Amino acid sequence: MVIVMAPEATNDDIEAVVDRVSRAGGEAFVSRGVSRTIIGLVGDVERFTTLNLQGMPGVADVVRVSTPYKLVSRENHPARSTVTVRGVPIGPDTVTLIAGPCAVETPEQTLEAAKMAKAAGATLLRGGAYKPRTSPYAFQGLGEHGLRILAEVREETGLPIVTEVVDPHDVELVASYADMLQVGTRNAQNFSLLQALGEAGKPVLLKRGMTATIEEWLMAAEYIAQRGNLNIVLCERGIRTYERATRNTLDISAVPVAQRLSHLPVVIDPSHSGGRRDLVLPLARAAIAVGADGLLVDVHPRPEEALCDGPQALVHEDLPELAAILRDFPPLLNRKPVTADEAALTTA
Amino acid sequence: MVIVMAPEATNDDIEAVVDRVSRAGGEAFVSRGVSRTIIGLVGDVERFTTLNLQGMPGVADVVRVSTPYKLVSRENHPARSTVTVRGVPIGPDTVTLIAGPCAVETPEQTLEAAKMAKAAGATLLRGGAYKPRTSPYAFQGLGEHGLRILAEVREETGLPIVTEVVDPHDVELVASYADMLQVGTRNAQNFSLLQALGEAGKPVLLKRGMTATIEEWLMAAEYIAQRGNLNIVLCERGIRTYERATRNTLDISAVPVAQRLSHLPVVIDPSHSGGRRDLVLPLARAAIAVGADGLLVDVHPRPEEALCDGPQALVHEDLPELAAILRDFPPLLNRKPVTADEAALTTA
Amino acid sequence: MVIVMAPEATNDDIEAVVDRVSRAGGEAFVSRGVSRTIIGLVGDVERFTTLNLQGMPGVADVVRVSTPYKLVSRENHPARSTVTVRGVPIGPDTVTLIAGPCAVETPEQTLEAAKMAKAAGATLLRGGAYKPRTSPYAFQGLGEHGLRILAEVREETGLPIVTEVVDPHDVELVASYADMLQVGTRNAQNFSLLQALGEAGKPVLLKRGMTATIEEWLMAAEYIAQRGNLNIVLCERGIRTYERATRNTLDISAVPVAQRLSHLPVVIDPSHSGGRRDLVLPLARAAIAVGADGLLVDVHPRPEEALCDGPQALVHEDLPELAAILRDFPPLLNRKPVTADEAALTTA
Amino acid sequence: MVIVMAPEATNDDIEAVVDRVSRAGGEAFVSRGVSRTIIGLVGDVERFTTLNLQGMPGVADVVRVSTPYKLVSRENHPARSTVTVRGVPIGPDTVTLIAGPCAVETPEQTLEAAKMAKAAGATLLRGGAYKPRTSPYAFQGLGEHGLRILAEVREETGLPIVTEVVDPHDVELVASYADMLQVGTRNAQNFSLLQALGEAGKPVLLKRGMTATIEEWLMAAEYIAQRGNLNIVLCERGIRTYERATRNTLDISAVPVAQRLSHLPVVIDPSHSGGRRDLVLPLARAAIAVGADGLLVDVHPRPEEALCDGPQALVHEDLPELAAILRDFPPLLNRKPVTADEAALTTA
């Protein structure tokens, strides 16, 4: 059950609701959004219906939810949401390109990749400073030094930063540099991390676990939402199947399915899905065509030297075609690509 | 190893090649296409290179192939092929819509579904008379009676027929009615059936096994090709994974992967992939965008009464949007939708 | 709904039931077993309950079944069944070893492998004359010549023969040589083949499809049962998953699950499950321990020369340990291994 | 490359090796075991071979390792290891039963479950105080209060405690109560947590990720080993597949495969694998038969009231059979069950 508070509801109104629910043996999770607060209730729903919550001051609506997730569900919030990252929108009317290097390696490589991203039409810069790697002997990222490089590149290019965080106790540090915090596929059920992100005050890009069901993915989002952060963008990045021709199997159907179940924006990562450079552009076209709200794409000036996932990065000569896809396909879906000017305008 | 014969090669030339290979302990599989004949060799490749096959009369080229499939591989035949079904092309320059009811139930239902298919832009009619069903207690199709209904509907609408065959010993009968023979997902490794289709003299629509790798799918095509039939269209229809929100998981990456490995056309079935009507149009858009050469779509006048797979059939009100997708998306990929007039023209 | 006829029911009694069901718009499938006949009804169950079938002559019992399979279900037939192959039992009180070469290659190799099988305690000989192979260029088996070799080896060793059939139109021929007909994993949904086996009059070894659910496996058995053959042994042989360390993933839980749902015996093939010789004996131990009714094991005198699946065949030096497993483990489950003497005794 | 130090090697010897490797541009990871220290080297192996490491003081052996994991590999350490948890061995000569409630709920429930565990032959008590749950609205465990309950129950029953930790920053706290720290399936690639456990000074029970390959599982173990903790027990608990009859698919082959690749002990959790009480005992038998070094089993006095995973817990009436399995099966594999007396003896 979800209590939607009116925009003018006071803290006292909210506390009164929480208090009444607690006395009835339930738990209340308060999510404070920009314009209004909603409260997720856990416990005996039948009992809650006897509490006359609808009649309490500041309560706009009481919604019964039958899915196991509540705050992120469309039952609870029928209109699809737009998440804004430092002025750049990700939502149902636009197609947003997030691009950059898989890993931050040097200031030069990062700057060059950011310029490539911009040339392709990106309005957000991705780049990993903390890399969760299957092998303890693989490159693990530059850590805070990488974050500083990203901040400098943002300064120079104007592109807001999306970067991964892997430990709940790094969330504050990473959030002090980044504009959007990414949860990687291996941490999709790292509940401590998800809860920390719920309190981070920054938008979150939540990658689907490589073997998560769509329901588990939405439950992971619910962990973030439950701690007060509804600025979540879901990212489909391929799932693990028996097929070996591709690194993962892009579950493209997951986009319309998740958009029907949840109001959160959904983007596709065509780079990690296939793990092959030759598949990135076809999958990017398919992603926009199926209705994704954005793309997350690896670019690298010299993929053969990349410390991580080089084989899937786009190179300079691929950029014009990516830019053309971003220009031509969204209008067929009544969307427009987000452009740098627009993003700047929104920020101003 | 594959021997490509010149267009003017005689039967004697072909037999001479087969003979020389046999004497060297190898086997030679002859595939006679419309314009030329190719011969796949099995055995000791090193030995074959000593036979001076290149110098024999009528031999245009000798190609060494390193993939486990030969005749269907792009190594052997770099240009992508077009398969023509009674004048209707399926290939790299076009997008072809094949539509119709999952199962033929009555003459009225079939005719009405065919008219729906045509209204959406279809130039080929699908419809099952033999239905392989998981349960022996489910509707198994009308058999030859269903084939006669399809033939009457072809008469009335002008749409050539695509229909499934499930038993090698029915191939001749089904081929006497149908314009294209379909192999269903459950028969993707029914090698007797595949071999019978290799000799059927009709184009084949080969669905991917629901748990076949892309390589196994191409090997299934090779079984058909090896018996002399290269008029094969591959159909991706979703694979089995752990995800339960959809009936199968559409492996959209399989289209560019298969097109890179094989010269055969590849189409997508967005109806069986998701098993949900609400996913058919988004997946149809994605299919064209990723580069599929065509679509295979279920339509039904009254899906709630369908004897098979009703929940995934498009209904009347979906047709304008499907027609619009077919009109608007192909040009972005430098393709054009096949239209009825054109198809008629080609036939004439 | 299933009608269980009394042992003394006449053909007229049976026809009367079929007739009454047909008039009510239903279908009746008659399965004649050794001691009694049962009739599976398909159609409107509510309607059937009004027909007073229980009161008809020769009817012993009317059972409502809620699973999608009926004749093979334990709801319908609570006691677990024993299937007897030329005197050799496979069932709940015993552990039966079926062993032999994956493929029949020569008379010598087959005879030597049969002697190996016997030395390990096998009472049935497996060996493939028709091999369904992923590649059309791989060894496809010796066909009828292979069947003749098997018959000669049976003559010499006394071991009844289990061999695969891949085409419905070969069933009669293969049945004229073999004592038990095997359905391979790739044909698990080849419904024409399953139906032909329902009428073959020989016991069937039904391998699970490599991506079949347990329910689909039982439905495949139902196809056979529905045509009158309940002498079916289920064989778990590994399923397709993402794990690549083994050829397939042995789903050992499938044995107790299938035994709970169906009365049919269930055996395990530890050779094809792992595809690795070093796993065969550990998996054989686990198979008996979990409660399997038998084992299907590849042996080969010279695996390095095998034309099919050599890497998984046991060799001479493995046989004493296999024999010891077969001797030591069954008693812990209150079972006894079937021995050659016993089998002979039963036949006599 | 791995450097095995002699038992008598000094700290100075170790530092000298680390120093020489560092100067050559490599990284050296020191793992101090009870009897000896080993050093894993990362970097240019060809370069290392020129450093004459074999000749340095205190170096017993230099081993080249070709697997991606090193310290946990059997290439590096051919003999299988025994891990001892407060005197209770888990290793190649024994079968160890770890049992208890899935979650600690109350002192009474925990004590009663511990007594059940003991009655079945358990010598280690499992019980979760921190529960990672898919839904944020599900019971998340009692936290430190649960740890205190476990400590009291250990006091009363003498059973050492195995309990899960989910956040790297809780490791120290949990280690102050527990005798063995468990990593759950959802944290199998939570690398911060794994690294923290590498420094925890307590044995670790590492569950396989529900979609981890065996190689990824061993890599996760390598993360722990690399920080100096080689007291790791691997636990197979079922993987995610398409089959829905069981909660997960027990990959029983993973036991012999992992034991061949790694020297670490491997146990099986038959409770979470199937998720069904009726499968626990058959799978427990199979686990011992395949060669597992132990079992991890859920028991609960009143599963119908359990806050977590009740349907899979064994109840009082199952205990005699579990005890009998533990008594009868290990001798067939030349192992003996660990008994409480023995464990006590070892501790004393």
Side-chain angles (χ1 to χ4, degrees):
Chain A
M1 188 174 272
V2 173
I3 310 297
V4 183
M5 301 302 288
E8 67 276 9
T10 64
N11 277 340
D12 284 357
D13 293 343
I14 292 167
E15 274 172 37
V17 170
V18 171
D19 190 54
R20 188 173 295 184
V21 169
S22 303
R23 285 164 190 245
E27 275 185 285
F29 292 89
V30 178
S31 296
R32 291 171 206 275
V34 175
S35 69
R36 61 170 72 210
T37 290
I38 60 183
I39 308 176
L41 307 194
V42 182
D44 180 349
V45 174
E46 296 314 315
R47 183 75 203 283
F48 297 156
T49 58
T50 68
L51 298 179
N52 188 23
L53 296 166
Q54 180 69 67
M56 293 182 72
V59 170
D61 205 3
V62 173
V63 188
R64 291 190 71 153
V65 178
S66 60
T67 54
Y69 36 87
K70 299 170 201 296
L71 303 175
V72 307
S73 86
R74 228 171 147 176
E75 274 190 51
N76 167 45
H77 185 298
R80 299 202 50 229
S81 297
T82 295
V83 169
T84 305
V85 183
R86 227 189 223 223
V88 178
I90 306 175
D93 303 322
T94 46
V95 175
T96 308
L97 176 62
I98 309 169
C102 184
V104 171
E105 298 163 15
T106 65
E108 297 69 32
Q109 164 257 8
T110 307
L111 180 59
E112 197 171 341
K115 287 178 177 170
M116 292 172 70
K118 226 172 159 175
T123 46
L124 293 170
L125 174 65
R126 64 149 295 159
Y130 296 84
K131 302 298 305 171
R133 301 299 295 277
T134 301
S135 167
Y137 302 112
F139 175 62
Q140 310 270 326
L142 299 180
E144 190 172 0
H145 176 51
L147 295 176
R148 278 194 297 266
I149 292 175
L150 284 169
E152 286 159 24
V153 170
R154 172 176 56 200
E155 195 68 24
E156 189 145 346
T157 62
L159 293 174
I161 299 167
V162 183
T163 198
E164 182 164 357
V165 57
V166 299
D167 187 313
H169 297 264
D170 292 336
V171 166
E172 202 177 318
L173 173 72
V174 179
S176 73
Y177 288 93
D179 302 297
M180 185 177 215
L181 301 171
Q182 178 179 320
V183 181
T185 189
R186 290 173 184 76
N187 282 310
Q189 292 199 310
N190 183 336
F191 302 121
S192 301
L193 180 63
L194 297 174
Q195 288 172 332
L197 288 165
E199 293 162 1
K202 285 280 170 78
V204 175
L205 183 72
L206 177 63
K207 288 205 160 186
R208 182 178 178 184
M210 72 179 77
T211 51
T213 61
I214 294 171
E215 185 173 307
E216 288 170 341
W217 189 22
L218 296 179
M219 291 292 247
E222 186 80 7
Y223 262 97
I224 300 170
Q226 203 200 38
R227 296 291 173 110
N229 186 353
L230 271 164
N231 289 313
I232 306 166
V233 173
L234 302 169
C235 179
E236 160 64 31
R237 46 78 68 206
I239 61 173
R240 183 165 276 186
T241 72
Y242 68 84
E243 175 59 60
R244 306 176 185 196
T246 47
R247 188 168 165 191
N248 298 285
T249 298
L250 175 62
D251 182 8
I252 200 162
S253 316
V255 174
V257 171
Q259 286 173 341
R260 176 170 284 253
L261 295 172
S262 169
H263 56 90
L264 300 176
V266 186
V267 302
I268 278 184
D269 176 343
S271 304
H272 285 78
S273 299
R276 288 167 49 162
R277 182 184 151 212
D278 67 329
L279 296 182
V280 175
L281 294 175
L283 295 181
R285 291 193 307 258
I288 300 178
V290 92
D293 302 308
L295 298 173
L296 184 68
V297 174
D298 281 17
V299 297
H300 198 287
R302 282 168 301 282
E304 65 287 359
E305 296 171 12
L307 295 178
C308 175
D309 289 343
Q312 73 197 28
L314 292 188
V315 297
H316 279 288
E317 65 204 76
D318 299 314
L319 304 180
E321 191 174 338
L322 179 56
I325 290 169
L326 207 62
R327 181 193 65 220
D328 296 341
F329 279 77
L332 292 188
L333 292 115
N334 296 317
R335 291 173 182 257
K336 50 181 195 172
V338 177
T339 61
D341 292 352
E342 227 173 337
L345 221 64
T346 324
T347 328
Chain B
M1 188 174 272
V2 173
I3 310 299
V4 183
M5 301 302 288
E8 67 277 9
T10 65
N11 276 339
D12 285 356
D13 294 343
I14 293 169
E15 274 171 38
V17 170
V18 171
D19 191 54
R20 187 172 295 184
V21 168
S22 302
R23 285 162 190 250
E27 275 185 286
F29 292 89
V30 178
S31 297
R32 291 173 205 273
V34 175
S35 69
R36 60 169 73 210
T37 289
I38 59 183
I39 308 176
L41 307 193
V42 181
D44 179 349
V45 174
E46 295 314 315
R47 183 75 202 284
F48 298 154
T49 58
T50 67
L51 299 179
N52 187 23
L53 297 166
Q54 179 71 65
M56 292 181 73
V59 170
D61 204 3
V62 173
V63 188
R64 291 191 70 153
V65 178
S66 60
T67 54
Y69 35 88
K70 299 172 200 294
L71 304 175
V72 307
S73 86
R74 233 174 142 173
E75 275 190 52
N76 165 46
H77 184 298
R80 297 201 54 228
S81 297
T82 295
V83 169
T84 305
V85 183
R86 228 189 224 223
V88 177
I90 306 175
D93 302 322
T94 45
V95 175
T96 309
L97 176 61
I98 309 168
C102 184
V104 172
E105 298 163 15
T106 65
E108 297 70 32
Q109 166 257 8
T110 306
L111 179 59
E112 196 171 343
K115 288 180 177 168
M116 291 172 69
K118 225 171 160 175
T123 46
L124 292 170
L125 174 66
R126 63 151 294 160
Y130 296 84
K131 302 299 305 172
R133 301 299 294 275
T134 300
S135 167
Y137 303 112
F139 175 63
Q140 312 269 327
L142 298 180
E144 189 172 0
H145 176 51
L147 295 175
R148 279 195 296 267
I149 293 176
L150 284 168
E152 286 159 22
V153 169
R154 172 176 55 199
E155 195 66 25
E156 188 146 346
T157 61
L159 292 174
I161 298 167
V162 183
T163 198
E164 181 163 357
V165 57
V166 299
D167 187 312
H169 298 263
D170 292 337
V171 166
E172 203 176 317
L173 173 72
V174 179
S176 73
Y177 288 93
D179 302 296
M180 183 176 218
L181 301 171
Q182 178 178 319
V183 180
T185 189
R186 289 173 185 78
N187 282 311
Q189 293 199 309
N190 183 337
F191 302 121
S192 302
L193 180 63
L194 298 173
Q195 288 172 332
L197 289 165
E199 294 160 2
K202 285 281 169 79
V204 175
L205 183 72
L206 177 62
K207 288 204 160 188
R208 179 178 180 184
M210 73 178 79
T211 51
T213 61
I214 293 171
E215 184 173 307
E216 288 169 342
W217 190 21
L218 296 179
M219 292 291 246
E222 186 80 8
Y223 262 96
I224 300 170
Q226 203 200 38
R227 297 290 173 111
N229 187 351
L230 271 164
N231 289 312
I232 305 165
V233 173
L234 302 169
C235 179
E236 159 65 30
R237 46 76 68 207
I239 60 173
R240 183 165 275 187
T241 71
Y242 68 83
E243 176 58 60
R244 306 173 185 199
T246 46
R247 189 168 163 189
N248 298 285
T249 297
L250 175 63
D251 181 8
I252 200 162
S253 316
V255 175
V257 171
Q259 287 173 341
R260 175 168 285 252
L261 296 172
S262 169
H263 57 90
L264 300 176
V266 186
V267 303
I268 279 184
D269 176 344
S271 304
H272 285 78
S273 299
R276 289 167 49 162
R277 185 184 149 210
D278 67 329
L279 296 182
V280 176
L281 294 174
L283 295 181
R285 290 193 307 257
I288 300 177
V290 92
D293 302 308
L295 299 173
L296 184 67
V297 174
D298 281 17
V299 298
H300 198 287
R302 283 166 303 281
E304 65 287 358
E305 296 171 13
L307 294 178
C308 175
D309 289 342
Q312 74 198 26
L314 292 188
V315 296
H316 279 287
E317 65 202 79
D318 298 315
L319 304 180
E321 191 173 339
L322 178 55
I325 290 170
L326 206 62
R327 182 192 63 220
D328 295 340
F329 279 78
L332 292 188
L333 292 114
N334 295 318
R335 291 173 182 257
K336 51 181 192 170
V338 177
T339 62
D341 291 352
E342 226 173 338
L345 220 63
T346 324
T347 327
Chain C
M1 189 174 269
V2 173
I3 310 298
V4 183
M5 300 303 288
E8 67 277 10
T10 65
N11 276 340
D12 284 356
D13 293 343
I14 293 167
E15 274 171 39
V17 170
V18 171
D19 190 54
R20 188 173 294 184
V21 168
S22 303
R23 285 163 189 247
E27 277 185 285
F29 292 89
V30 177
S31 297
R32 290 172 206 274
V34 175
S35 68
R36 61 169 74 211
T37 291
I38 59 181
I39 309 176
L41 306 194
V42 182
D44 180 350
V45 175
E46 295 315 315
R47 183 75 202 286
F48 297 155
T49 58
T50 68
L51 299 179
N52 187 24
L53 297 166
Q54 179 70 67
M56 293 182 72
V59 170
D61 204 3
V62 173
V63 188
R64 291 191 70 153
V65 178
S66 60
T67 54
Y69 35 88
K70 298 170 201 297
L71 303 175
V72 307
S73 86
R74 228 170 147 178
E75 274 189 53
N76 166 46
H77 184 298
R80 298 201 54 228
S81 298
T82 295
V83 169
T84 305
V85 182
R86 229 189 221 224
V88 177
I90 306 175
D93 302 323
T94 45
V95 173
T96 309
L97 176 62
I98 309 167
C102 186
V104 172
E105 298 164 14
T106 65
E108 297 69 32
Q109 164 256 10
T110 307
L111 179 60
E112 196 171 343
K115 288 179 178 169
M116 291 172 70
K118 225 170 159 177
T123 46
L124 292 171
L125 173 66
R126 62 149 296 162
Y130 297 84
K131 302 299 304 173
R133 301 297 296 274
T134 301
S135 167
Y137 303 112
F139 175 63
Q140 311 270 327
L142 298 179
E144 190 172 359
H145 176 52
L147 296 175
R148 278 193 296 265
I149 293 175
L150 285 169
E152 286 160 23
V153 170
R154 174 177 55 200
E155 196 67 23
E156 188 145 348
T157 61
L159 293 174
I161 299 167
V162 183
T163 197
E164 182 163 356
V165 58
V166 299
D167 187 313
H169 299 262
D170 293 337
V171 166
E172 204 177 316
L173 173 71
V174 179
S176 73
Y177 288 92
D179 301 298
M180 184 178 217
L181 301 171
Q182 178 178 321
V183 181
T185 189
R186 289 173 184 77
N187 282 310
Q189 293 199 310
N190 183 337
F191 301 120
S192 302
L193 180 62
L194 298 174
Q195 288 172 332
L197 289 165
E199 294 161 2
K202 285 279 170 79
V204 175
L205 183 71
L206 176 63
K207 288 205 161 186
R208 181 179 180 184
M210 73 179 76
T211 52
T213 61
I214 294 171
E215 185 174 307
E216 288 168 344
W217 190 22
L218 297 179
M219 292 292 248
E222 186 79 8
Y223 263 96
I224 299 169
Q226 203 200 37
R227 297 289 175 111
N229 187 351
L230 271 164
N231 289 312
I232 306 165
V233 173
L234 302 169
C235 179
E236 160 64 30
R237 46 78 69 208
I239 60 173
R240 183 165 276 186
T241 71
Y242 67 84
E243 175 58 60
R244 305 174 184 197
T246 46
R247 188 169 166 189
N248 298 284
T249 297
L250 174 63
D251 181 8
I252 200 162
S253 315
V255 175
V257 171
Q259 287 174 340
R260 175 168 286 251
L261 295 172
S262 170
H263 57 89
L264 300 176
V266 185
V267 303
I268 278 184
D269 176 343
S271 304
H272 285 79
S273 299
R276 288 167 51 163
R277 182 184 152 212
D278 67 329
L279 297 182
V280 175
L281 294 175
L283 295 182
R285 291 194 306 257
I288 300 177
V290 91
D293 302 308
L295 298 173
L296 184 67
V297 174
D298 282 16
V299 297
H300 198 287
R302 283 167 301 282
E304 64 288 358
E305 297 171 13
L307 295 177
C308 176
D309 289 342
Q312 74 198 26
L314 292 188
V315 297
H316 278 288
E317 66 202 76
D318 299 315
L319 304 181
E321 191 173 339
L322 180 55
I325 290 170
L326 206 61
R327 181 192 64 219
D328 296 340
F329 279 78
L332 292 189
L333 293 113
N334 295 317
R335 292 173 180 256
K336 52 181 193 170
V338 177
T339 62
D341 292 351
E342 225 173 339
L345 221 64
T346 324
T347 327
Chain D
M1 189 172 269
V2 172
I3 311 298
V4 182
M5 301 302 288
E8 67 278 9
T10 64
N11 277 339
D12 284 357
D13 294 343
I14 293 168
E15 274 171 37
V17 170
V18 171
D19 191 53
R20 189 173 293 185
V21 169
S22 303
R23 283 163 192 249
E27 275 185 284
F29 292 89
V30 178
S31 296
R32 292 172 204 273
V34 174
S35 68
R36 60 168 73 211
T37 290
I38 61 183
I39 308 177
L41 307 194
V42 182
D44 180 350
V45 174
E46 296 315 315
R47 183 75 203 285
F48 297 155
T49 59
T50 67
L51 297 180
N52 188 23
L53 296 167
Q54 180 71 67
M56 293 181 72
V59 170
D61 205 3
V62 172
V63 188
R64 290 191 72 153
V65 178
S66 62
T67 54
Y69 35 88
K70 299 171 200 295
L71 304 176
V72 306
S73 87
R74 231 171 142 176
E75 274 191 52
N76 167 45
H77 184 298
R80 297 202 54 228
S81 297
T82 296
V83 169
T84 306
V85 183
R86 228 189 222 226
V88 177
I90 306 175
D93 302 323
T94 45
V95 175
T96 309
L97 176 61
I98 309 168
C102 185
V104 172
E105 298 164 14
T106 65
E108 297 70 31
Q109 165 257 8
T110 307
L111 180 58
E112 197 171 342
K115 288 178 177 168
M116 291 172 69
K118 225 171 159 174
T123 46
L124 293 170
L125 174 65
R126 63 150 295 161
Y130 296 84
K131 303 299 303 174
R133 301 299 294 276
T134 301
S135 166
Y137 302 112
F139 175 62
Q140 310 271 325
L142 297 179
E144 189 171 0
H145 176 53
L147 296 175
R148 278 194 297 265
I149 293 175
L150 285 169
E152 286 160 23
V153 170
R154 172 177 55 199
E155 195 67 24
E156 189 146 346
T157 61
L159 293 174
I161 300 167
V162 183
T163 198
E164 181 164 357
V165 57
V166 298
D167 187 313
H169 297 263
D170 292 337
V171 166
E172 201 176 319
L173 173 71
V174 178
S176 74
Y177 288 93
D179 300 297
M180 182 177 219
L181 302 171
Q182 177 179 320
V183 181
T185 189
R186 290 173 184 77
N187 282 311
Q189 292 199 311
N190 183 337
F191 302 121
S192 302
L193 179 63
L194 297 173
Q195 288 172 332
L197 288 165
E199 293 161 1
K202 284 281 169 78
V204 175
L205 183 72
L206 177 63
K207 288 204 159 186
R208 180 178 179 186
M210 71 178 80
T211 52
T213 61
I214 294 171
E215 184 173 307
E216 288 168 343
W217 190 22
L218 296 179
M219 292 292 246
E222 186 80 7
Y223 262 96
I224 299 170
Q226 202 199 38
R227 296 292 173 109
N229 187 352
L230 270 164
N231 289 312
I232 306 166
V233 173
L234 302 169
C235 179
E236 160 64 31
R237 46 76 68 205
I239 61 173
R240 182 165 277 187
T241 71
Y242 68 84
E243 175 58 61
R244 304 175 187 198
T246 46
R247 188 169 166 189
N248 299 285
T249 297
L250 175 62
D251 181 8
I252 201 162
S253 316
V255 175
V257 171
Q259 286 173 341
R260 175 168 285 252
L261 295 171
S262 169
H263 57 89
L264 300 177
V266 186
V267 302
I268 279 184
D269 175 345
S271 304
H272 285 79
S273 299
R276 288 167 49 163
R277 184 185 150 209
D278 67 328
L279 297 181
V280 175
L281 294 175
L283 295 181
R285 291 194 306 258
I288 300 178
V290 92
D293 302 308
L295 299 173
L296 183 68
V297 173
D298 282 16
V299 297
H300 198 287
R302 282 167 303 282
E304 65 287 358
E305 296 171 13
L307 295 177
C308 175
D309 289 343
Q312 74 197 27
L314 292 188
V315 297
H316 279 287
E317 66 202 77
D318 298 315
L319 303 180
E321 192 174 338
L322 180 55
I325 291 170
L326 207 61
R327 181 192 64 219
D328 296 339
F329 279 78
L332 292 188
L333 293 113
N334 297 318
R335 292 173 181 257
K336 51 181 192 171
V338 177
T339 61
D341 291 352
E342 225 172 340
L345 221 63
T346 324
T347 328

